Amino acid sequence: MQRVIRDTHAVPDGTSAQQSKVALIQKHLPPVAASLFAIPRTGADGIVEWWTELGGQPTPYADLDKDSQRRLLQTFQQRQDAIRQLADELRKRDQPDTAHQLESLMGEPIPGDLYSLNGEPLVIRWDTPRAPKVMPPPLVPPAAAVAPVAAGSKGWRLAALLLGLLLLLLLLLALWAWWFWRPAPVVEPVAPSPIVEPAKVVAPDPEPEPEPVVVPEPEPEPAPPPPPPPKPEPVAKPAPPPSLDNYACRKGAAKVETPQFVVVLDTSGSMMLNIKAVKADEDWFFGNSLNRYTDVRRAQQIFQPPNRMDVAADSLNGMIKALDPKIDMRLITFAGCESTPDHGVFRFGDRPRLMSGIRGLVGNDGTPLAASLEKAASTVDGRNRDAMIVMFIDGEDGCQQDACAVSRRVAQQQPRLRVNVVNIGVAGASRCIAENTGGRTYASTDAAELAKVLKLATKEVSSSADCK
């Protein structure tokens, strides 16, 4: 536990009442939501101090850049939603007093009382009443604000001055309200860049065949005995398919095309769980909304860092850095069962922007595994040009669709498309996707091992950039 600030403006007499609310918060809220509120203590010199169990350097809200402020306010709103849901549950269970105390913690944050610790929001002086979320006041038309004054009199000039001051005040109030109460975005998407097909590379002319070497004829030998009758020649077997390690190279081809490459990144709600969490933990947490309140310790362990999304972002960015410069990459994510956002194709010069956008993604809602595979396959050729898809997922389809049936259809319609499946965590990924399309399946529950797994998953597409 660390101290955030010594608060000379707080009154020590109210610390006991605040600590009783802290006990209420810790009793009913999971650690991820309870950590939103700093813990008040009275120092030896009588000054109130605010403490927290979060790790990291406390950074005031005003010192953050705009992107960090938006993400911090978004996380703050998620914690407030958890409090609202718990209060509703307690009212249904005939505990209105406890629900009312929790509702008193809800409201918009005061910028001067809001801090960021490794991206997690922390509020001090949370017992101070905070304004509810309201719309900014409408501007009053000038005709209704001040009655007209007879022209040419001194009162007319005074009324015009007052009217101007009133309109300026209303404008400042509207701008202030819009800045502090504007809605935070759900997910900060990665800005797509225009799709540009890579330039085709002309293969070098074949080297001339070496001239035959003249070998002197040997001296004649005695005639050998007559040979046995000839046996029928075996039927020639068809040539094996091209190797996965360099499957973009075709013998005798006049030109070489780099394969198309798509990454499907799972951004479902389960990606916010700890990298070591097992399937039983997922079933327990998501199976009943009250479980997280009955066993607070287990809920805290499930959400301890590092979570799957952080590990995925670090490992995926490491893969992007090592990817051959000739390979362009498309990114597809999840937005619940309703859609699978396509963030566009990123060329070599766009990779820093791509890696920055991946770190801003937040896991939420369901797992549209089949829909994302169908979307990714529709963005590549796979018939006359090689393509590779790497699906970075942590479980089965959660939107009542058959991912195995989609993979069989993709394999039939796009025979030159392969799908590699990287399974994060211990949940059984749809192995049939890789098997049906000639790809491979990888699994890892360790952050260090995951980087090696990603390197193997993209080895085929990187080695296909040039014929060897």
Side-chain angles (χ1 to χ4, degrees), residues 276-297:
K276 296 289 187 180
V278 298
K279 191 174 188 301
D281 294 328
E282 295 186 35
D283 296 339
W284 174 82
F285 185 83
F286 295 106
N288 189 333
S289 60
L290 294 179
N291 285 344
R292 67 194 71 178
Y293 307 123
T294 57
D295 192 345
V296 176
R297 182 179 296 275

Side-chain angles (χ1 to χ4, degrees), residues 208-221:
E209 298 183 358
E211 297 182 359
V213 180
V214 179
V215 180
E217 296 183 359
E219 296 181 358
E221 296 181 358

